Amino acid sequence: MMKAHRLLRAAVWLTAGWITLVASTQAATLSAPIAAKALKAKKLADKEHYQQAIDVLVPMPKRGYDQAYIARMLGIFYWQNEQLEPSIKALTIAVNSNELEAQSMWSTRHMLADVLLIDKQYDKALHQYYRLAKRLPKGNKGDKIWLRISQIHYQLGQWRKTLRGVQHYEQLGMPDAVQPLSLKVGAQLQLSQWAGAIISLKRLLLLEPDKKQWWMQLVNLEMRTKRYGDALDSLALARLQGIPFEQHDRQLLAQLYAQNGIPERAAQVMSTIKGLANNTNLLVTQAQYWQRAKAWDKAIETWQLAARRDKQYHWQVAQLMLQQGQYQAVLSVLDKVEEPEHKADVALARTRALYQLHQVDHALKQAYYANRVQPSVEAKSWIRYLKHLKRLSKKHTS
């Protein structure tokens, strides 16, 4: 709103300058006493003695052009003196008088609309702006009027009307600008117009490539619409653009690499997260990425880091070690797996490791134990196979 305040104050001074021109070219249409008052008030206002200028002009004349002209001056002086309510009343009188010539009427109505907007009388301001849009002076495209209309509808949460206002603005052939496009994106998001919002955000990024907000909204929308490849491209491009990444941004980038079938790159991105080694959840995520990438040594190393912080992950370490043939090492890791639900699986894992280490008797004991804890086809198969090996071994010995 502060930006709007500065814009409107600039508009006020422009109108005040317009008064100077009118005073010299149309003073003859005023009655002599009123013309004298107008000139005196203007000199006071030029010195920023607004209240004194107002005192000169009130009470305003009752009839005709004198009243319209003085009402317009008072509206401006009241505004400059930060008196919104009397400014609105005076400008309304001037506009309703029908005494002003077309260009003067349009400028005065514009001033009234601006002051109503500053006073947050949005519906009344909209009424005036729409009237301004219907009767534009020659050479005025109306782009600023339609932008203001769009802003007010957005302020009121009227999303479809916001989009219609921006559409009018764009149909004037105006070049892309941040303000109308940001209004358009906001309204499209509220209306769940995801595809349109993506297009608008890409236009915004051409204007503000360094603004993180636009990049993240684009990525989120591309993910929402299941365009994961596009989301990855956008987020990676944002990183190359130098957009600062927080921890959650890096996690998102890693997630997108994984979703797009590049788990090794996902794990590498995770390595750039500060405090990774002290965060169990992040370590688990990275270990899973390494595992999906079939980078077994790195996966084992990362699972081990996670297991140091939470012993439940010793089981993941053991499974990968067994898979990679680290039979001697896995035995000590299996000793650390304490969860009751893994008892049978741990016994079977020991069975396999001991068998590979040619410790058939110990392997058979573990197979029996696994079958007692939780009978299974696998356990029974190991028992039959290992007993067969023992018989063969006795025959060979004898």
Side-chain angles (χ1 to χ4, degrees):
M1 186 57 74
M2 287 300 297
K3 185 176 181 181
H5 187 282
R6 291 195 296 271
L7 287 172
L8 291 178
R9 182 166 289 280
V12 169
W13 285 109
L14 179 61
T15 310
W18 167 76
I19 286 178
T20 303
L21 175 63
V22 174
S24 62
T25 58
Q26 296 189 357
T29 63
L30 295 172
S31 63
I34 297 303
K37 281 188 175 185
L39 185 59
K40 181 178 179 182
K42 182 189 174 303
K43 289 179 179 179
L44 288 167
D46 287 343
K47 297 177 181 179
E48 300 186 10
H49 298 158
Y50 303 125
Q51 188 57 55
Q52 293 178 39
I54 291 167
D55 292 341
V56 169
L57 296 177
V58 293
M60 71 175 68
K62 298 294 184 184
R63 297 179 183 177
Y65 184 75
D66 284 355
Q67 183 187 60
Y69 188 89
I70 296 303
R72 180 180 54 202
M73 289 188 74
L74 277 170
I76 295 168
F77 295 159
Y78 276 127
W79 162 246
Q80 290 172 322
N81 204 38
E82 300 183 359
Q83 295 174 265
L84 290 184
E85 186 176 348
S87 175
I88 290 170
K89 288 181 179 179
L91 290 170
T92 301
I93 291 171
V95 166
N96 292 340
S97 70
N98 292 320
E99 294 285 345
L100 301 175
E101 54 91 22
Q103 184 175 352
S104 300
M105 175 67 79
W106 196 89
S107 299
T108 306
R109 189 181 299 280
H110 196 328
M111 181 67 191
L112 173 59
D114 288 347
V115 179
L116 285 167
L117 174 57
I118 287 297
D119 200 38
K120 299 183 180 180
Q121 297 188 41
Y122 298 125
D123 289 330
K124 290 182 179 180
L126 269 175
H127 175 71
Q128 298 299 334
Y129 283 124
Y130 273 114
R131 294 193 66 175
L132 289 167
K134 289 180 180 178
R135 294 187 177 182
L136 294 168
K138 187 176 180 179
N140 188 325
K141 288 186 174 183
D143 52 298
K144 294 179 181 177
I145 298 300
W146 282 110
L147 180 57
R148 196 61 58 79
I149 287 171
S150 303
Q151 290 170 327
I152 298 174
H153 282 309
Y154 189 91
Q155 184 72 30
L156 293 172
Q158 298 169 344
W159 313 120
R160 296 192 185 280
K161 290 182 179 180
T162 300
L163 290 181
R164 283 200 290 270
V166 175
Q167 183 180 20
H168 277 288
Y169 174 91
E170 292 179 334
Q171 287 173 344
L172 296 172
M174 303 303 296
D176 279 353
V178 171
Q179 197 167 30
L181 279 173
S182 60
L183 290 172
K184 187 173 185 177
V185 166
Q188 287 171 324
L189 291 175
Q190 292 292 336
L191 293 169
S192 301
Q193 296 181 6
W194 312 132
I198 287 172
I199 294 171
S200 300
L201 282 165
K202 288 180 177 179
R203 290 165 63 188
L204 266 172
L205 281 167
L206 293 175
L207 301 174
E208 293 188 328
D210 297 330
K211 190 160 185 178
K212 184 177 180 179
Q213 175 186 349
W214 307 140
W215 285 107
M216 299 315 297
Q217 284 186 338
L218 175 60
V219 170
N220 288 333
L221 284 180
E222 288 170 334
M223 292 181 66
R224 179 184 284 271
T225 53
K226 302 187 185 306
R227 304 177 188 182
Y228 298 116
D230 291 343
L232 174 59
D233 291 342
S234 296
L235 194 57
L237 186 57
R239 193 182 186 193
L240 289 174
Q241 184 69 31
I243 299 299
F245 270 33
E246 305 297 332
Q247 175 174 300
H248 62 274
D249 301 321
R250 296 175 189 274
Q251 287 180 251
L252 178 59
L253 181 58
Q255 176 188 333
L256 285 170
Y257 273 120
Q259 285 178 318
N260 283 277
I262 318 173
E264 183 174 8
R265 191 74 185 93
Q268 291 169 348
V269 170
M270 293 293 292
S271 296
T272 67
I273 297 177
K274 291 183 179 179
L276 173 70
N278 298 318
N279 188 311
T280 306
N281 291 333
L282 294 180
L283 285 169
V284 168
T285 300
Q286 187 185 38
Q288 291 169 338
Y289 291 155
W290 284 128
Q291 195 165 332
R292 287 171 59 183
K294 298 183 180 180
W296 307 119
D297 290 344
K298 290 181 178 179
I300 290 172
E301 180 183 351
T302 310
W303 279 120
Q304 286 174 324
L305 290 174
R308 289 174 191 170
R309 300 185 58 80
D310 189 336
K311 60 184 180 180
Q312 69 171 306
Y313 296 112
H314 286 302
W315 177 234
Q316 279 76 10
V317 177
Q319 287 177 296
L320 282 183
M321 281 185 165
L322 196 61
Q323 174 187 303
Q324 293 307 108
Q326 299 179 22
Y327 302 120
Q328 190 62 56
V330 77
L331 292 174
S332 61
V333 175
L334 287 169
D335 289 339
K336 300 175 183 177
V337 180
E338 301 175 354
E339 291 77 17
E341 65 270 21
H342 291 315
K343 275 188 176 182
D345 292 327
V346 167
L348 286 172
R350 284 199 180 101
T351 300
R352 180 180 171 185
L354 290 166
Y355 163 73
Q356 293 292 343
L357 293 169
H358 308 294
Q359 300 180 31
V360 176
D361 288 340
H362 292 302
L364 183 57
K365 288 180 182 178
Q366 290 297 320
Y368 275 124
Y369 178 72
N371 198 52
R372 284 199 304 273
V373 172
Q374 185 176 328
S376 66
V377 172
E378 184 180 1
K380 290 179 173 64
S381 296
W382 271 114
I383 291 170
R384 285 195 301 270
Y385 178 65
L386 293 170
K387 287 171 70 176
H388 176 68
L389 285 181
K390 287 189 69 173
R391 285 195 297 270
L392 288 176
S393 176
K394 285 181 181 179
K395 286 182 181 180
H396 180 75
T397 303
S398 62

